């Protein structure tokens, strides 16, 4: 059986500038570890598909935090990291951004 090639991880610029700066260091480390290990290895198996206006995007749950992403070929695009209470309404302004 062949080795699975890892996915490339691409972060929306605001994830690094805004989202992760507001999170406590221990939680930030858990989130980064989840992105690198789970999404980098198998983003389809790791997260749940979103519906309705966020169809085509997925979410990964890390405690009370959500990572909103989409998969394009061999790349996982991390669009938003935030608390579950407001991450979904904040992700819409980032969806249109092309890389």
């Amino acid at each position: 059986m062949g080795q699975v090639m890892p996915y490339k991880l691409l972060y929306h610029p605001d994830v690094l500038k805004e989202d992760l700066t507001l999170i406590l260091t221990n939680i930030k480390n858990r989130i980064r570890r989840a992105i690198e290990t789970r999404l980098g290895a198998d983003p389809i198996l790791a997260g749940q598909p979103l519906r309705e206006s966020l169809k085509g995007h997925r979410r990964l749950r890390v405690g009370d935090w959500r990572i909103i992403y989409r998969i394009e070929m061999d790349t996982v695009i991390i669009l938003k990291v935030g608390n579950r209470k407001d991450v979904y309404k904040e992700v819409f302004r980032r969806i249109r951004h092309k890389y």
Side-chain angles (χ1 to χ4, degrees), residues 48-61:
Q48 299 294 316
L50 296 174
R51 300 179 299 211
E52 298 179 21
S53 56
L54 288 173
K55 187 175 178 129
H57 296 83
R58 302 178 75 83
R59 74 163 168 85
L60 175 64
R61 180 177 167 242

Side-chain angles (χ1 to χ4, degrees), residues 5-89:
M5 295 302 294
Y7 284 76
K8 289 184 272 184
L9 299 173
L10 180 64
Y11 291 84
H12 186 284
D14 291 342
V15 169
L16 302 174
K17 284 192 307 191
E18 296 174 12
D19 300 354
L20 293 177
T21 60
L22 303 173
I23 300 172
L24 295 172
T25 303
N26 62 332
I27 297 169
K28 189 185 316 185
N29 290 338
R30 282 181 56 206
I31 290 169
R32 282 192 174 151
R33 206 167 29 253
I35 290 171
E36 292 168 6
T37 60
R38 294 163 64 189
L39 294 185
D42 191 346
I44 295 170
L45 188 61
Q48 299 294 316
L50 296 174
R51 300 179 299 211
E52 298 179 21
S53 56
L54 288 173
K55 187 175 178 129
H57 296 83
R58 302 178 75 83
R59 74 163 168 85
L60 175 64
R61 180 177 167 242
V62 179
D64 283 342
W65 299 87
R66 302 295 183 266
I67 301 158
I68 309 298
Y69 65 97
R70 74 172 175 254
I71 305 164
E72 293 184 5
M73 308 278 283
D74 65 342
T75 303
V76 177
I77 301 169
I78 314 299
L79 291 167
K80 177 75 181 150
V81 175
N83 192 281
R84 65 186 174 94
K85 67 181 163 69
D86 52 20
V87 69
Y88 299 105
K89 59 186 171 195

